[in-house]
Amino acid sequence: MKAQINNTSLHYLLDGPSDGETVMLSNSLGADAGMWKYQVEALVKAGYRVVRYDNRGHGMSPATPPPYSLEILTGDAVGLMDHLGLEKVHFCGLSLGGMVGQMLGAHHPERLFSLTLCATASFMTLTDAEWEERMEVARRHGVSALADATLERWFTTAGRTRLLEDVEETKKSILGTSFEGYAGCIAALRAMDLREAIGRISTPTLIIVGDQDEATPVDASEFIHSRIASSSLVVIPEAAHLLNIERREIFNEHLLAFLAKNTVPSP
């Protein structure tokens, strides 16, 4: 399904009962809504309605001319809520999606039942030279040239061996990301600094990270936890960046327990 929002067309998927509280899932840079496939069944079984969407320039959401900003990407999420008539959601985002979640928590708290921030950061520590190196590779050779190095950051060595089908599907999502979409979101990451803003978040928040995450290390989640008084932190062992895939059973257990605490019982 497509929604015309903020001068773009956002692709989204709906699963679960129409009368359940909605969990909204937001993907990482270079991924798409398919990255949440192991969460959808568990959430629907628990009675939630699930909305997955592709951030602009990813999956089946077309790229608009770069650069993008977190304000633009967050506006897309709010616009999709409005399009679907959702006053409030349980928002869960990973990496880039978690950065959108932080913006929602800081600037749109009235739209949230709860907030789950997965494998994310409030500030990126890469130098300008490191960003430029990635951009030059993508510009010259396409985003596909970054795929193998990205997968090494996203899965542990054991995970890449054990989850061959999942790794291959993830690689396809990276290969399907256009340069314009990648460049647009990289611009948003480079300009991002949410270290002060997240101190305003009062929404119940779960912060969850893998102990072997090289892309957004544990200390980045620890910092977010220190700034959000209403947060709890979970570190999942033997997991890298895509912990929702690599350690999906443990991830789902923590996510469902957190959501249950913040779900309004049916009358």
Side-chain angles (χ1 to χ4, degrees), residues 27-224:
N27 60 280
S28 71
L29 175 70
D32 57 34
M35 67 172 284
W36 298 107
K37 66 177 183 178
Y38 293 116
Q39 281 67 61
V40 173
E41 182 178 357
L43 289 166
V44 170
K45 186 176 180 181
Y48 295 99
R49 188 186 195 197
V50 180
V51 178
R52 292 174 285 165
Y53 73 101
D54 296 329
N55 276 296
R56 71 169 64 201
H58 290 70
M60 295 176 65
S61 293
T64 52
Y68 310 157
S69 66
L70 276 182
E71 288 80 5
I72 288 173
L73 298 176
T74 303
D76 290 346
V78 173
L80 182 56
M81 291 181 212
D82 292 342
H83 175 81
L84 295 172
L86 299 172
E87 183 179 348
K88 286 189 172 188
V89 300
H90 299 277
F91 190 90
C92 175
L94 190 145
S95 196
L96 174 64
M99 296 162 192
V100 171
Q102 291 171 68
M103 285 284 288
L104 285 170
H107 298 286
H108 302 278
E110 74 284 355
R111 306 304 298 266
L112 300 175
F113 291 119
S114 73
L115 179 61
T116 302
L117 305 175
C118 316
T120 193
S122 58
F123 178 77
M124 298 299 290
T125 59
L126 269 68
T127 65
D128 285 341
E130 289 171 319
W131 285 120
E132 288 300 331
E133 181 181 359
R134 287 191 190 182
M135 286 300 301
E136 187 60 22
V137 170
R139 187 179 295 111
R140 287 176 175 270
H141 307 290
V143 178
S144 60
L146 300 169
D148 289 341
T150 299
L151 292 170
E152 289 181 5
R153 292 192 301 271
W154 282 7
F155 293 93
T156 64
T157 301
R160 292 196 303 276
T161 301
R162 177 171 56 89
L163 302 169
L164 294 177
E165 183 176 333
D166 291 312
V167 171
E168 187 59 31
E169 286 189 12
T170 302
K171 185 173 184 176
K172 288 179 182 178
S173 72
I174 297 170
L175 299 181
T177 304
S178 68
F179 173 74
E180 290 78 10
Y182 182 81
C185 288
I186 285 291
L189 297 186
R190 291 182 69 168
M192 176 190 69
D193 189 346
L194 298 171
R195 289 176 289 186
E196 290 300 320
I198 59 175
R200 299 196 297 270
I201 296 176
S202 58
T203 301
T205 301
L206 172 64
I207 304 161
I208 188 164
V209 64
D211 67 342
Q212 298 180 47
D213 190 343
E214 296 180 12
T216 52
V218 173
D219 61 1
S221 286
E222 290 175 337
F223 177 80
I224 296 172

